[in-house]
Amino acid sequence: ELPMNARLAWGTLALLAVPVAGQVGELEFCTVLGRVADESGRIAIGVRVEIRPAATAVVEDPQRPFEPSQPSPDEQMSDVNRDRTVFAWGVSDSEGWYRIPGVRKPGAYMLVVRAQSGFGDGRVPLSISAAAGEEFRADVTLRRLPVRTASAKRTEFEAALAAARSAEELRDLATADGHLQAAVQLEPDSPVPHYHRARLALLRGDVPAARRESGLAVGRSPSCEDCWVVRARAERAAKNAGAAREAAEKAVALAPDLPAANGVLGIALYDAGEYAQALPYLEGAVAGLDSDPNVHLYLANAFVQQRHPHLAATAYRAYLKRFPDAPNRREVETMLEVLIPQP
């Protein structure tokens, strides 16, 4: 029999194995039964309790969800001794009692509990002697899984974001995205991980993912100007000019001095052929040191469209100085030669 307050390896369940008074003799089989309740004594209905020969009691993942089948009553109370790989089980009834008949004695078993939400699965050794009666009682006390506090979850959330930043700095975008997915699970209502996932999707060229994640970001925080900026970039990448302009206008309305917001609106206006209207937004973005290369390039292009060759040349040179490894460097140098011919 088990000692009082026997504990499972995971600390989620305790069992008290107490022989029930009954006929004592050389019986071959007995019924294992007991009551299932939580630590406060409240009965637990519908909890599955299994009994297995100890030799086949394989340690499993205690967090794996259990999906019970719907066997017939005969299958439910199958004899564990006919086949040592078969186990029998019972489910606690409306009064919290489970019963598992046909258990051979003496025997060494493993009692396994498939607990409900908020409780962990658990298992504990169970030894039934030859002297046990017709019934062998093993009451089950469920212990709740430890609940992470809000502060602990917040710490994990911030750690996931920091890990994502580190991975992005190493250009490991897949790993960065994995950390951001973990952050989403920790704080589902936060726009931050969705915003960063949208950015990473744009870097990978995954436009559908960028649109999806930016939509989730603005949905969770309509007042997040950075979220509207990445939304505008995602819509522009999807060639949705109207949606890109609308998102850019919302970003500027929320943060008129934000360089990135001015940049996306300036590009949206440029795409619409409104070059004069685009210039002040593009100039404001460049003056604010927006890191988007397109903003600097489009400023120069807008000066070209407005027939300001010297201002365009100055903007192109500033672009090449700021982004010396730009992939279109040769094309920009050619444009400079056209704008300002050398003597």
Coordinates of all heavy atoms in Angstrom, one line a residue, residues 117-183:
S117 N -8.9 20.5 -16.9 CA -8.2 21.8 -17.1 C -7.9 22.4 -15.7 O -8.7 22.4 -14.8 CB -9.2 22.7 -17.8 OG -8.6 24.0 -18.0
G118 N -6.7 22.8 -15.7 CA -6.2 23.4 -14.4 C -5.4 22.5 -13.5 O -4.8 22.9 -12.6
F119 N -5.5 21.2 -13.9 CA -4.8 20.1 -13.1 C -3.9 19.4 -14.1 O -4.2 19.2 -15.3 CB -5.8 19.2 -12.5 CG -6.7 19.8 -11.5 CD1 -8.0 20.2 -11.9 CD2 -6.3 20.0 -10.2 CE1 -8.8 20.7 -11.0 CE2 -7.2 20.6 -9.3 CZ -8.4 20.9 -9.7
G120 N -2.8 18.9 -13.6 CA -1.9 18.2 -14.5 C -2.2 16.7 -14.5 O -2.8 16.2 -13.6
D121 N -1.8 16.0 -15.5 CA -1.8 14.5 -15.5 C -0.8 14.1 -14.4 O 0.1 14.8 -14.1 CB -1.4 13.9 -16.8 CG -2.5 14.1 -17.9 OD1 -3.5 14.8 -17.6 OD2 -2.2 13.7 -19.0
G122 N -1.0 12.9 -13.9 CA -0.1 12.4 -12.9 C -0.2 10.9 -12.8 O -1.1 10.2 -13.3
R123 N 0.8 10.3 -12.2 CA 0.9 8.8 -12.0 C 1.6 8.5 -10.7 O 2.4 9.3 -10.2 CB 1.6 8.2 -13.2 CG 3.0 8.6 -13.3 CD 3.4 8.6 -14.8 NE 2.8 9.6 -15.5 CZ 2.1 9.5 -16.7 NH1 2.1 8.3 -17.2 NH2 1.5 10.5 -17.3
V124 N 1.3 7.4 -10.1 CA 1.9 7.0 -8.8 C 1.9 5.5 -8.7 O 1.0 4.8 -9.2 CB 1.2 7.6 -7.6 CG1 -0.2 7.0 -7.4 CG2 2.0 7.5 -6.3
P125 N 2.9 4.9 -8.2 CA 3.0 3.4 -8.1 C 1.9 2.9 -7.1 O 1.5 3.6 -6.1 CB 4.4 3.1 -7.5 CG 5.2 4.4 -7.8 CD 4.2 5.5 -7.8
L126 N 1.3 1.8 -7.4 CA 0.3 1.2 -6.6 C 0.6 -0.3 -6.4 O 0.7 -1.0 -7.4 CB -1.1 1.4 -7.2 CG -2.3 1.0 -6.4 CD1 -2.5 2.0 -5.3 CD2 -3.5 1.0 -7.3
S127 N 0.8 -0.7 -5.1 CA 1.1 -2.1 -4.8 C -0.1 -2.8 -4.1 O -0.5 -2.3 -3.1 CB 2.4 -2.2 -4.0 OG 2.7 -3.6 -3.7
I128 N -0.6 -3.9 -4.7 CA -1.7 -4.6 -4.1 C -1.2 -6.0 -3.6 O -0.7 -6.8 -4.5 CB -2.9 -4.8 -5.1 CG1 -3.3 -3.4 -5.6 CG2 -4.1 -5.5 -4.5 CD1 -4.4 -3.4 -6.7
S129 N -1.4 -6.2 -2.4 CA -0.9 -7.5 -1.8 C -1.9 -8.6 -2.0 O -3.1 -8.4 -2.3 CB -0.5 -7.3 -0.3 OG -1.7 -7.2 0.4
A130 N -1.4 -9.8 -1.8 CA -2.3 -11.0 -1.9 C -3.4 -11.0 -0.8 O -4.5 -11.6 -1.0 CB -1.5 -12.3 -1.9
A131 N -3.1 -10.3 0.3 CA -4.0 -10.3 1.4 C -5.1 -9.2 1.3 O -5.9 -9.1 2.2 CB -3.2 -10.1 2.7
A132 N -5.0 -8.4 0.2 CA -6.0 -7.4 0.1 C -7.4 -8.0 -0.1 O -7.6 -9.1 -0.6 CB -5.7 -6.5 -1.1
G133 N -8.5 -7.3 0.2 CA -9.8 -7.7 0.1 C -10.3 -7.7 -1.3 O -9.5 -7.5 -2.3
E134 N -11.6 -7.9 -1.5 CA -12.2 -7.8 -2.8 C -12.1 -6.4 -3.4 O -12.2 -6.3 -4.6 CB -13.7 -8.3 -2.7 CG -13.9 -9.7 -2.4 CD -15.3 -10.1 -2.3 OE1 -16.2 -9.2 -2.3 OE2 -15.6 -11.3 -2.2
E135 N -12.1 -5.5 -2.6 CA -12.0 -4.1 -3.1 C -10.7 -3.4 -2.5 O -10.4 -3.6 -1.3 CB -13.2 -3.3 -2.7 CG -14.5 -3.8 -3.4 CD -15.7 -2.9 -3.1 OE1 -15.7 -2.3 -2.0 OE2 -16.6 -2.8 -3.9
F136 N -10.1 -2.7 -3.3 CA -8.9 -2.0 -2.9 C -9.1 -0.5 -3.2 O -9.3 -0.1 -4.3 CB -7.6 -2.5 -3.6 CG -6.3 -1.9 -3.0 CD1 -5.7 -2.6 -2.0 CD2 -5.8 -0.8 -3.5 CE1 -4.5 -2.1 -1.5 CE2 -4.6 -0.3 -3.0 CZ -3.9 -0.9 -2.0
R137 N -9.1 0.3 -2.2 CA -9.4 1.7 -2.3 C -8.2 2.6 -2.5 O -7.2 2.5 -1.8 CB -10.2 2.2 -1.1 CG -10.7 3.7 -1.3 CD -11.7 4.0 -0.3 NE -12.1 5.4 -0.3 CZ -13.1 5.9 0.4 NH1 -13.8 5.2 1.3 NH2 -13.4 7.2 0.3
A138 N -8.3 3.5 -3.5 CA -7.2 4.5 -3.8 C -7.9 5.8 -4.1 O -8.4 6.0 -5.3 CB -6.4 4.0 -4.9
D139 N -8.1 6.6 -3.1 CA -8.7 7.9 -3.4 C -7.7 8.9 -4.1 O -6.5 8.8 -3.9 CB -9.1 8.6 -2.0 CG -10.3 7.9 -1.4 OD1 -11.1 7.2 -2.1 OD2 -10.4 8.0 -0.2
V140 N -8.2 9.7 -4.9 CA -7.4 10.6 -5.7 C -7.7 12.0 -5.2 O -8.8 12.5 -5.2 CB -7.7 10.5 -7.2 CG1 -6.9 11.5 -8.0 CG2 -7.4 9.0 -7.6
T141 N -6.6 12.8 -4.9 CA -6.7 14.2 -4.6 C -6.0 15.0 -5.7 O -4.7 14.8 -5.9 CB -6.1 14.5 -3.2 OG1 -6.7 13.8 -2.2 CG2 -6.2 16.0 -2.9
L142 N -6.7 15.8 -6.4 CA -6.1 16.5 -7.5 C -5.4 17.8 -6.9 O -6.0 18.5 -6.0 CB -7.2 17.0 -8.5 CG -7.9 15.8 -9.2 CD1 -9.0 16.4 -10.1 CD2 -7.0 15.0 -10.0
R143 N -4.3 18.1 -7.4 CA -3.6 19.3 -7.0 C -3.4 20.2 -8.2 O -3.0 19.8 -9.3 CB -2.2 19.0 -6.5 CG -2.2 18.1 -5.2 CD -0.8 18.0 -4.6 NE -0.8 17.0 -3.5 CZ -1.3 17.2 -2.3 NH1 -1.9 18.4 -2.0 NH2 -1.2 16.3 -1.4
R144 N -3.8 21.5 -8.0 CA -3.7 22.4 -9.2 C -2.3 22.7 -9.6 O -1.4 22.7 -8.8 CB -4.4 23.7 -8.8 CG -5.9 23.6 -8.6 CD -6.6 24.9 -8.6 NE -8.0 24.8 -8.5 CZ -8.8 24.6 -9.6 NH1 -8.2 24.5 -10.8 NH2 -10.1 24.4 -9.5
L145 N -2.2 22.9 -10.9 CA -0.9 23.3 -11.5 C -0.6 24.7 -11.0 O -1.5 25.5 -10.8 CB -0.9 23.2 -13.0 CG -1.0 21.9 -13.7 CD1 -1.3 22.0 -15.1 CD2 0.2 21.1 -13.4
P146 N 0.7 25.0 -10.8 CA 1.0 26.3 -10.4 C 0.7 27.3 -11.5 O 0.9 27.0 -12.7 CB 2.6 26.3 -10.2 CG 3.0 25.1 -11.0 CD 1.9 24.1 -10.9
V147 N 0.1 28.4 -11.1 CA -0.3 29.5 -12.1 C 0.7 30.6 -12.1 O 1.1 31.1 -11.1 CB -1.7 30.1 -11.7 CG1 -2.1 31.1 -12.6 CG2 -2.7 29.0 -11.6
R148 N 1.1 30.9 -13.4 CA 2.1 31.9 -13.5 C 1.5 33.3 -13.2 O 0.4 33.6 -13.7 CB 2.7 32.0 -14.9 CG 3.6 30.8 -15.2 CD 4.1 30.9 -16.6 NE 3.0 30.7 -17.6 CZ 3.2 30.7 -18.9 NH1 4.4 30.8 -19.4 NH2 2.2 30.5 -19.7
T149 N 2.1 34.1 -12.4 CA 1.6 35.4 -12.1 C 1.8 36.3 -13.3 O 2.5 36.1 -14.2 CB 2.4 36.0 -10.9 OG1 3.8 36.2 -11.3 CG2 2.3 35.1 -9.7
A150 N 1.0 37.4 -13.2 CA 1.1 38.4 -14.3 C 2.5 38.9 -14.5 O 2.9 39.1 -15.6 CB 0.1 39.5 -14.1
S151 N 3.2 39.2 -13.4 CA 4.5 39.7 -13.5 C 5.5 38.7 -14.1 O 6.4 39.1 -14.9 CB 5.0 40.1 -12.1 OG 5.0 39.0 -11.2
A152 N 5.3 37.4 -13.8 CA 6.2 36.4 -14.4 C 5.9 36.3 -15.8 O 6.9 36.2 -16.6 CB 5.9 35.1 -13.7
K153 N 4.6 36.3 -16.3 CA 4.3 36.3 -17.7 C 4.9 37.5 -18.4 O 5.4 37.4 -19.5 CB 2.8 36.2 -17.9 CG 2.2 34.8 -17.5 CD 0.8 34.7 -17.8 CE 0.5 34.7 -19.3 NZ -0.9 34.5 -19.6
R154 N 4.8 38.6 -17.8 CA 5.4 39.8 -18.4 C 6.9 39.7 -18.6 O 7.4 40.1 -19.6 CB 5.1 41.1 -17.5 CG 5.5 42.4 -18.2 CD 4.7 42.7 -19.4 NE 5.3 43.8 -20.1 CZ 4.7 44.3 -21.2 NH1 3.7 43.8 -21.8 NH2 5.3 45.4 -21.8
T155 N 7.6 39.1 -17.6 CA 9.0 38.9 -17.7 C 9.3 38.0 -18.9 O 10.2 38.3 -19.7 CB 9.6 38.4 -16.4 OG1 9.3 39.3 -15.3 CG2 11.1 38.1 -16.5
E156 N 8.5 36.9 -19.0 CA 8.7 36.0 -20.1 C 8.5 36.7 -21.5 O 9.2 36.5 -22.5 CB 7.8 34.8 -20.0 CG 8.2 33.9 -18.8 CD 7.3 32.7 -18.8 OE1 7.0 32.1 -19.8 OE2 6.8 32.4 -17.7
F157 N 7.4 37.5 -21.5 CA 7.1 38.3 -22.7 C 8.2 39.2 -23.2 O 8.6 39.2 -24.3 CB 5.8 39.1 -22.4 CG 5.4 40.0 -23.6 CD1 4.8 39.5 -24.7 CD2 5.6 41.4 -23.5 CE1 4.3 40.3 -25.7 CE2 5.2 42.2 -24.5 CZ 4.6 41.7 -25.6
E158 N 8.8 39.9 -22.2 CA 9.9 40.8 -22.5 C 11.1 40.1 -22.9 O 11.9 40.5 -23.8 CB 10.1 41.7 -21.3 CG 9.0 42.7 -21.1 CD 9.2 43.5 -19.8 OE1 10.1 43.2 -19.0 OE2 8.4 44.4 -19.5
A159 N 11.3 38.9 -22.3 CA 12.5 38.1 -22.7 C 12.3 37.6 -24.1 O 13.3 37.5 -24.9 CB 12.6 36.9 -21.7
A160 N 11.1 37.2 -24.5 CA 10.9 36.7 -25.9 C 11.1 37.8 -26.9 O 11.7 37.6 -27.9 CB 9.4 36.2 -26.0
L161 N 10.7 39.1 -26.6 CA 11.0 40.2 -27.5 C 12.4 40.5 -27.6 O 13.0 40.7 -28.7 CB 10.2 41.4 -27.0 CG 8.7 41.4 -27.0 CD1 8.1 42.7 -26.5 CD2 8.2 41.1 -28.4
A162 N 13.2 40.4 -26.5 CA 14.6 40.6 -26.5 C 15.3 39.6 -27.3 O 16.2 39.9 -28.1 CB 15.2 40.7 -25.1
A163 N 14.9 38.3 -27.2 CA 15.5 37.2 -27.9 C 15.2 37.4 -29.4 O 16.1 37.1 -30.3 CB 15.0 35.9 -27.5
A164 N 14.0 37.9 -29.8 CA 13.7 38.2 -31.2 C 14.6 39.3 -31.7 O 15.1 39.2 -32.9 CB 12.2 38.6 -31.3
R165 N 14.8 40.3 -30.9 CA 15.7 41.4 -31.4 C 17.1 40.9 -31.7 O 17.8 41.2 -32.7 CB 15.7 42.6 -30.4 CG 14.5 43.4 -30.4 CD 14.7 44.7 -29.6 NE 15.0 44.4 -28.2 CZ 14.0 44.3 -27.3 NH1 12.8 44.5 -27.6 NH2 14.3 44.1 -26.0
S166 N 17.6 40.1 -30.7 CA 19.0 39.5 -30.9 C 19.1 38.7 -32.2 O 20.1 38.8 -32.9 CB 19.3 38.7 -29.7 OG 19.4 39.5 -28.5
A167 N 18.1 37.8 -32.4 CA 18.1 37.0 -33.6 C 18.0 37.8 -34.9 O 18.7 37.5 -35.8 CB 16.9 36.0 -33.5
E168 N 17.2 38.9 -34.8 CA 17.1 39.7 -36.0 C 18.5 40.4 -36.3 O 18.9 40.6 -37.5 CB 16.0 40.8 -35.8 CG 15.8 41.7 -37.0 CD 14.7 42.7 -36.9 OE1 14.1 42.7 -35.8 OE2 14.6 43.5 -37.8
E169 N 19.2 40.8 -35.2 CA 20.5 41.5 -35.4 C 21.5 40.5 -36.1 O 22.4 40.9 -36.8 CB 21.0 41.9 -34.1 CG 20.3 43.1 -33.5 CD 20.7 43.5 -32.1 OE1 21.6 42.7 -31.6 OE2 20.2 44.4 -31.5
L170 N 21.3 39.2 -35.9 CA 22.1 38.2 -36.5 C 21.5 37.7 -37.8 O 22.1 36.8 -38.4 CB 22.2 37.0 -35.5 CG 22.9 37.2 -34.2 CD1 22.8 36.0 -33.3 CD2 24.4 37.6 -34.4
R171 N 20.5 38.4 -38.3 CA 19.8 38.1 -39.5 C 19.2 36.7 -39.6 O 19.0 36.2 -40.6 CB 20.8 38.3 -40.7 CG 21.6 39.6 -40.8 CD 20.6 40.8 -40.8 NE 19.8 40.8 -42.0 CZ 18.8 41.6 -42.3 NH1 18.5 42.5 -41.3 NH2 18.1 41.6 -43.4
D172 N 18.9 36.2 -38.4 CA 18.2 34.9 -38.3 C 16.7 35.2 -38.1 O 16.2 35.2 -37.0 CB 18.8 34.1 -37.1 CG 18.2 32.7 -37.1 OD1 17.3 32.4 -37.9 OD2 18.7 31.9 -36.3
L173 N 16.1 35.5 -39.3 CA 14.7 36.0 -39.2 C 13.7 34.9 -38.8 O 12.7 35.2 -38.1 CB 14.3 36.6 -40.6 CG 15.2 37.7 -41.1 CD1 14.5 38.3 -42.4 CD2 15.3 38.8 -40.0
A174 N 14.0 33.7 -39.1 CA 13.1 32.5 -38.7 C 13.1 32.4 -37.2 O 12.1 32.2 -36.6 CB 13.6 31.3 -39.4
T175 N 14.3 32.4 -36.6 CA 14.4 32.3 -35.2 C 13.7 33.5 -34.5 O 13.0 33.3 -33.5 CB 15.8 32.2 -34.7 OG1 16.4 31.0 -35.3 CG2 15.9 32.1 -33.2
A176 N 13.9 34.7 -35.0 CA 13.3 35.9 -34.5 C 11.8 35.7 -34.5 O 11.1 36.1 -33.5 CB 13.8 37.1 -35.3
D177 N 11.3 35.2 -35.6 CA 9.8 35.1 -35.7 C 9.3 34.1 -34.7 O 8.2 34.2 -34.2 CB 9.5 34.7 -37.2 CG 8.0 34.8 -37.4 OD1 7.4 35.9 -37.3 OD2 7.3 33.8 -37.7
G178 N 10.1 33.0 -34.5 CA 9.7 32.0 -33.5 C 9.6 32.6 -32.1 O 8.6 32.3 -31.4
H179 N 10.5 33.5 -31.7 CA 10.4 34.1 -30.4 C 9.2 35.1 -30.4 O 8.5 35.2 -29.3 CB 11.7 35.0 -30.2 CG 12.9 34.1 -29.9 ND1 12.9 33.2 -28.9 CD2 14.1 34.0 -30.5 CE1 14.1 32.6 -28.9 NE2 14.8 33.1 -29.8
L180 N 8.9 35.7 -31.5 CA 7.7 36.6 -31.5 C 6.4 35.8 -31.4 O 5.5 36.3 -30.8 CB 7.7 37.4 -32.8 CG 8.9 38.5 -32.9 CD1 8.9 39.1 -34.3 CD2 8.7 39.5 -31.8
Q181 N 6.4 34.6 -32.0 CA 5.2 33.8 -31.8 C 5.0 33.4 -30.4 O 3.9 33.4 -29.9 CB 5.4 32.5 -32.7 CG 5.3 32.7 -34.2 CD 5.3 31.4 -34.9 OE1 4.6 30.5 -34.7 NE2 6.2 31.4 -35.9
A182 N 6.1 33.1 -29.7 CA 6.0 32.8 -28.2 C 5.5 34.0 -27.5 O 4.7 33.9 -26.5 CB 7.4 32.4 -27.7
A183 N 5.9 35.2 -27.9 CA 5.4 36.5 -27.2 C 3.9 36.6 -27.4 O 3.2 37.1 -26.6 CB 6.2 37.7 -27.8

